Amino acid sequence: MRIKIITDSSCDLPKHLIEQYDIGVAPLHIYIDGKDYTDGKDITHEEFYEKCRAAESLPKTSQPAPGDVLHIIQESLKEYTHVLSVNLSSALSGTYQTVNMLKESIGDALTVFDSKNGSLGVGMQALKACELVKEELSKSEIIRRLTEYRESLDTLVYLETLENAVKGGRVSKFSYVAASMLNVKAIVYIDKEEGTVKVREKIRGEKKALRYIIDAIKNKDIDFSDRVIGISHAGCIERANEFIEMLKAEVKPKEILLSSMGPVIGTYAAQGAIYVCF
């Protein structure tokens, strides 16, 4: 069985890895002040954050068009016998349901996998799927080991600002002002069972907040010398590089995968966020 891996544009994988592993990517859509943009096609990450700063309201995202996903699957099946789609958490988007709906027409040639994560939490699972395919494992064994990998991943996100949470109506303006005055930074995490985002801690100051994440990684009972840590940043490459230097010095992982956080997750995390998957 020849298996093709596809995912969606929330994965935030660098372009060279998408090309290297020949991963199919279905684009989500972003609406900024009423204008529709196709993620990864007609808006760069840099342009997205610039437009967000000027936007009157919080951008909105929508799942890939079923026709776009169907086209990717049909083109893949011309060369491969099976398609495995690794998608953004079903609790965060309807993307998983959209792809799953296509099974009615595609049949057993399509398997849909819920990453229960976002950003590089999706991307790293897609890469793991590619590695498992290269091992020429059976489809059931690939899903079993991919599920184990998903369950082994922890995700913490540093939020520089609650501005987008205010725009989205999830945080009051009073709380936002108070947090800003006190320099309070939120640390959120991905609930691995639900695939939802929850608040982990509220910490005063950037350095203490990033230190909290480093300590959480160090306290995980795992040998990182054979482990990849994924980091995506929301338009804050300098902060990301400083964080990476801390990781290299204190955690010493096998590899650090760095990427820019795209519009899908960036809409909610807001500029300045650091997404860490380990």
Side-chain angles (χ1 to χ4, degrees), residues 2 21 84-85 119 145 175 185 229 248 252:
R2 299 191 67 237
Y21 289 93
L84 171 56
S85 184
S119 190
R145 289 175 60 175
S175 297
K185 310 298 181 184
I229 294 179
K248 288 180 177 178
K252 299 179 176 63

Side-chain angles (χ1 to χ4, degrees), residues 5 11 13 17 21 84 86 113-133 135 137 140-155 190 192-193 220 222-224 226-231 253-257 275-278:
I5 304 302
C11 69
L13 283 172
L17 288 178
Y21 289 93
L84 171 56
V86 180
F113 187 82
D114 187 349
S115 73
K116 296 187 177 182
N117 214 312
S119 190
L120 277 183
V122 182
M124 289 168 63
Q125 290 181 54
L127 290 178
K128 173 60 73 173
C130 291
E131 293 172 2
L132 294 172
V133 167
E135 292 182 33
L137 303 172
S140 60
E141 180 64 10
I142 289 172
I143 297 300
R144 186 188 72 80
R145 289 175 60 175
L146 188 58
T147 301
E148 287 181 350
Y149 181 66
R150 178 185 68 191
E151 293 173 352
S152 77
L153 289 174
D154 288 300
T155 302
I190 303 291
K192 290 191 282 187
E193 293 187 4
K220 186 172 182 176
I222 191 171
D223 179 9
F224 279 98
D226 193 39
R227 187 82 168 184
V228 176
I229 294 179
I231 298 172
K254 172 187 177 182
E255 181 183 348
I256 296 174
L257 176 57
Y275 197 106
V276 188
C277 199
F278 57 98

Side-chain angles (χ1 to χ4, degrees), residues 189-207:
Y189 71 100
I190 303 291
D191 185 304
K192 290 191 282 187
E193 293 187 4
E194 300 176 3
T196 54
V197 179
K198 298 180 179 179
V199 176
R200 176 83 164 255
E201 292 287 344
K202 294 178 181 177
I203 302 171
R204 290 189 68 176
E206 173 190 340
K207 290 185 178 180

Side-chain angles (χ1 to χ4, degrees), residues 70 74 101-107:
L70 182 61
Q74 290 176 332
M101 177 186 69
L102 296 173
K103 278 186 67 68
E104 295 179 11
S105 58
I106 301 298

Side-chain angles (χ1 to χ4, degrees), residues 68-134:
D68 291 343
V69 182
L70 182 61
H71 177 72
I72 291 173
I73 294 171
Q74 290 176 332
E75 287 300 305
S76 298
L77 290 175
K78 290 179 180 179
E79 184 178 351
Y80 296 84
T81 57
H82 195 86
V83 172
L84 171 56
S85 184
V86 180
N87 294 106
L88 174 63
S89 172
S90 60
L92 302 178
S93 166
T95 303
Y96 171 83
Q97 287 83 355
T98 294
V99 183
N100 209 37
M101 177 186 69
L102 296 173
K103 278 186 67 68
E104 295 179 11
S105 58
I106 301 298
D108 293 337
L110 171 65
T111 297
V112 193
F113 187 82
D114 187 349
S115 73
K116 296 187 177 182
N117 214 312
S119 190
L120 277 183
V122 182
M124 289 168 63
Q125 290 181 54
L127 290 178
K128 173 60 73 173
C130 291
E131 293 172 2
L132 294 172
V133 167
K134 281 191 173 183

Side-chain angles (χ1 to χ4, degrees), residues 223-261:
D223 179 9
F224 279 98
S225 65
D226 193 39
R227 187 82 168 184
V228 176
I229 294 179
I231 298 172
S232 62
H233 69 92
C236 54
I237 185 63
E238 290 184 5
R239 175 177 292 137
N241 283 331
E242 289 175 4
F243 184 78
I244 286 173
E245 290 307 311
M246 294 170 66
L247 276 176
K248 288 180 177 178
E250 300 187 43
V251 181
K252 299 179 176 63
K254 172 187 177 182
E255 181 183 348
I256 296 174
L257 176 57
L258 174 65
S259 77
S260 173
M261 187 187 299

